[in-house]
Amino acid sequence: MHITNDNWLNFKLAEKAVDNIPGADLISEESPVAHYGVFPIINHRKNDPKFVAFMDDVDRLDKAQQYVDKNYRVPGVAANIDPKKSFWKDYVTYPYPVKYADVKDGTGKSWQIGYMDEYAGTEKDPKVLVIIHGKGAFGGHYGNIMQYALRSGLRVIVPDLLHYGVSGPGNLDKSPARTMQDMRDVVHELVVNQLGARKAAYLGHSLGGSACDGLRAVLARGSLEHRARSACGARGISARGDDRSGKKLNLFDASFARDFDKWKQTWDQTGIPRERDRPVRAERSRLSSTSRNEIRSRAW
């Protein structure tokens, strides 16, 4: 930060210094009191995005030096699985302790949601990062991102979506026919209404990116702040498709929303579910003829 008409600390020398230091930047202004303008310039620039970003970086570096990751555990899956117990609750270790909450979607249906909620700082109202996992994944995949964010002084909330990861065992009695909006409503109810994170940055991967897209409208209804969103790999598919005879099918009929049998009746005509399941069936067949020791040795 420099005063352009400072005759004691020459401004042109400051510009040269910035040019010679990789990553350096310069904030400057003219002052009627010349050199002594260095004192009020901080107040003048307190809302300058460049200055705010710099001070946030300094704050994060300071917090990173003080950070003690006392709740971190090495993620993993146990070797010996008892089928009579819960795989997710008893044999999968998430990077941070898992908590549970009963949360209702927009239709009033109650779901048990597993999530991680970590903060290692002392601020009363810290900045919040919410991470939403992708299709076929779960929140435990994001331990390294959580560590980085926690070290930077953020509170991090990572829920598992309905029927994924630790949000599976408590909902086995419920149909998998639920909408994306149902999942958004549950995330909103958990994060905002139960955990109190009224302002947060949302980071969504793949399917989670699509969830974040729709969350913008949900958050707007409550006059909440949706500060950032990353929808990497959000997937799309044409709303119309053909069956094997060329007949046009409405693949996203609104009546499918919570009717699994009706959805299956239409989608089975495309052959897509069967084609997608073929590699899975083949892999199961191969594994059934392969000993546990062979699998373990190949994995290692």
Side-chain angles (χ1 to χ4, degrees):
M1 302 180 72
H2 211 90
I3 303 302
T4 56
N5 58 327
D6 188 337
N7 290 324
W8 289 356
L9 301 177
N10 187 276
F11 182 68
K12 291 189 178 298
L13 293 179
E15 289 180 308
K16 289 182 180 179
V18 168
D19 290 339
N20 290 325
I21 301 173
D25 211 335
L26 184 64
I27 293 176
S28 61
E29 66 183 34
E30 187 173 333
S31 171
V33 291
H35 172 75
Y36 294 101
V38 296
F39 298 106
I41 191 175
I42 294 177
N43 289 330
H44 296 167
R45 298 296 179 132
K46 63 182 180 181
N47 295 318
D48 184 317
K50 190 187 295 187
F51 175 69
V52 172
F54 172 75
M55 295 306 295
D56 280 347
D57 284 344
V58 171
D59 186 49
R60 279 191 281 270
L61 287 170
D62 181 57
K63 287 174 179 173
Q65 293 173 357
Q66 302 172 25
Y67 176 63
V68 178
D69 204 356
K70 59 182 179 181
N71 288 337
Y72 179 78
R73 296 93 54 85
V74 177
V77 180
N80 299 310
I81 309 298
D82 182 349
K84 295 180 181 179
K85 296 183 178 181
S86 170
F87 172 77
W88 286 101
K89 288 187 175 182
D90 297 324
Y91 296 106
V92 178
T93 301
Y94 275 46
Y96 293 92
V98 174
K99 304 170 185 176
Y100 292 91
D102 292 324
V103 183
K104 290 184 178 181
D105 63 22
T107 69
K109 182 182 291 185
S110 183
W111 301 81
Q112 185 189 78
I113 301 301
Y115 65 97
M116 293 175 285
D117 182 4
E118 290 292 316
Y119 177 56
T122 58
E123 292 182 21
K124 183 179 179 180
D125 188 22
K127 294 180 180 178
V128 180
L129 172 66
V130 180
I131 302 174
I132 309 294
H133 65 78
K135 179 181 177 182
F138 57 98
H141 281 151
Y142 301 88
N144 59 331
I145 299 177
M146 290 184 70
Q147 278 191 311
Y148 183 86
L150 290 166
R151 191 177 296 117
S152 299
L154 302 180
R155 177 187 176 188
V156 186
I157 300 172
V158 186
D160 278 353
L161 295 175
L162 308 182
H163 287 133
Y164 287 89
V166 290
S167 292
N171 301 306
L172 295 178
D173 59 326
K174 297 179 179 65
S175 169
R178 68 281 188 274
T179 68
M180 177 69 78
Q181 191 57 45
D182 291 337
M183 292 197 280
R184 293 178 184 127
D185 288 340
V186 165
V187 170
H188 176 265
E189 176 64 24
L190 173 70
V191 172
V192 178
N193 294 337
Q194 293 200 23
L195 302 181
R198 298 187 63 80
K199 293 183 179 181
Y202 284 75
L203 173 65
H205 172 239
S206 190
L207 178 72
S210 297
C212 288
D213 273 334
L215 269 170
R216 285 184 293 179
V218 178
L219 294 169
R221 287 202 303 267
S223 299
L224 306 172
E225 183 177 354
H226 181 234
R227 296 183 56 189
R229 187 266 309 165
S230 174
C232 303
R235 300 175 60 134
I237 188 170
S238 172
R240 291 202 166 273
D242 299 342
D243 68 5
R244 292 183 174 182
S245 67
K247 171 187 170 185
K248 292 295 182 184
L249 302 170
N250 186 355
L251 298 180
F252 293 97
D253 191 307
S255 65
F256 296 168
R258 298 177 182 87
D259 191 330
F260 183 79
D261 291 335
K262 188 178 287 188
W263 172 87
K264 187 174 186 298
Q265 183 180 20
T266 298
W267 277 74
D268 274 352
Q269 296 178 63
T270 68
I272 293 174
R274 286 191 293 274
E275 291 300 319
R276 287 181 174 175
D277 285 346
R278 183 178 296 174
V280 176
R281 292 197 300 270
E283 182 66 5
R284 284 175 179 166
S285 176
R286 182 185 71 79
L287 290 176
S288 66
S289 62
T290 306
S291 72
R292 182 179 291 273
N293 288 335
E294 288 177 315
I295 296 172
R296 187 172 294 153
S297 63
R298 289 177 187 175
W300 285 107

